[in-house]
Amino acid sequence: MKTLQTMLLVSLTLLATGCQSHDKENKKVKIEDAKPMAAVKAEKASPQDLSKYETAYFASGCFWCVEAVFESVKGVAEAVSGYAGGTEDNPTYEQVARGQTSHAEAVKVYYDPEIISFTALVQVFFGSHDPTTLNRQGPDRGPQYRSVAFYKSEEEKKIIEAYIQALKDQNVYQGEAITTEVTAFTKFYDAEDYHQDYEKKHPNNSYITNVSIPRLNRFKKNFPDYLKEEAH
């Protein structure tokens, strides 16, 4: 296996989208050893199939947006919207959205490591949001919308921290501080059923049309090689 140092040898690619308010999402650090990603089935895995996948957890603003981004990626069988990073038991959407808990809106990503690596998922995470805006992502403000990369092992922690260091070394954010929390994963609570696949179910919702879909489309433009066939 290649060392972390080799994995994170980087070349900086600056990509424009024509949307100045989201320029920071367009800068990515390319990982040279990202595994080739084979085609995957268009159908979502049924719940009983998910046990064979690895899981990863990320928070980067409204989970409707984050779920849609990760579900467009090859090797991802499912992304579930929910709550993580807090101490309260059984949080509800109303509590989290009002900032009444210490949880962040987050996603649980089921992925096949033979198709996409955890390192590549970290790249997707940083490449699909602005990690320099503290407790804010687009129009959503508050600690419930903070940027968090959760780790389940020391190896995952090293990958996240090394990627952040690579972003700093390449001055991707032009001196602005990266505010992403690197946090040990403890517990994830699934969000209420009506939040799952919200973007797909409510394509005409004003938030979806004005915030979520543009964010997804920027990601698709910047990461075409990572997309499932049906996501192009």
Side-chain angles (χ1 to χ4, degrees), residues 16-85:
T17 65
C19 183
Q20 291 182 345
S21 63
H22 294 278
D23 280 349
K24 296 171 190 172
E25 294 177 20
N26 309 324
K27 302 172 177 65
K28 72 176 180 179
V29 174
K30 184 176 180 181
I31 303 169
E32 292 184 348
D33 77 333
K35 294 181 180 180
M37 290 179 285
V40 294
K41 292 183 179 179
E43 312 87 49
K44 297 178 75 171
S46 59
Q48 61 267 28
D49 293 330
L50 293 177
S51 61
K52 64 185 180 182
Y53 295 98
E54 296 291 331
T55 54
Y57 301 83
F58 302 98
S60 58
C62 173
F63 49 26
W64 297 344
C65 306
V66 186
E67 177 188 328
V69 166
F70 278 100
E71 287 196 340
S72 72
V73 174
K74 290 178 182 179
V76 173
E78 178 73 280
V80 178
S81 289
Y83 316 108

Side-chain angles (χ1 to χ4, degrees), residues 50 67 71 78-82 106-110 188 190-191 196:
L50 293 177
E67 177 188 328
E71 287 196 340
E78 178 73 280
V80 178
S81 289
V107 294
K108 179 179 185 178
V109 180
Y110 290 92
F188 180 86
D190 289 6
Q196 309 304 331

Side-chain angles (χ1 to χ4, degrees), residues 187-206:
K187 193 166 185 178
F188 180 86
Y189 294 92
D190 289 6
E192 295 80 352
D193 287 346
Y194 69 89
H195 286 297
Q196 309 304 331
D197 295 315
Y198 194 92
E199 182 176 302
K200 293 178 183 177
K201 295 175 181 176
H202 304 278
N204 298 319
N205 175 280
S206 60

Side-chain angles (χ1 to χ4, degrees), residues 87-138:
T87 57
E88 299 82 3
D89 292 330
N90 303 311
T92 67
Y93 177 70
E94 288 74 18
Q95 291 171 330
V96 175
R98 293 172 183 166
Q100 295 174 344
T101 78
S102 51
H103 292 279
E105 290 194 10
V107 294
K108 179 179 185 178
V109 180
Y110 290 92
Y111 70 100
D112 184 346
E114 294 301 316
I115 299 174
I116 187 167
S117 65
F118 179 79
T119 308
L121 291 178
V122 171
Q123 182 182 25
V124 170
F125 167 70
F126 280 104
S128 60
H129 81 294
D130 181 355
T132 70
T133 51
L134 181 64
N135 294 335
R136 179 168 66 85
Q137 205 58 220

Side-chain angles (χ1 to χ4, degrees), residues 144-158:
Q144 64 271 39
Y145 301 112
R146 65 191 184 273
S147 173
V148 190
F150 296 94
Y151 62 88
K152 298 190 300 176
S153 67
E154 284 302 308
E155 181 66 15
E156 289 186 352
K157 182 181 181 182
K158 289 177 182 177

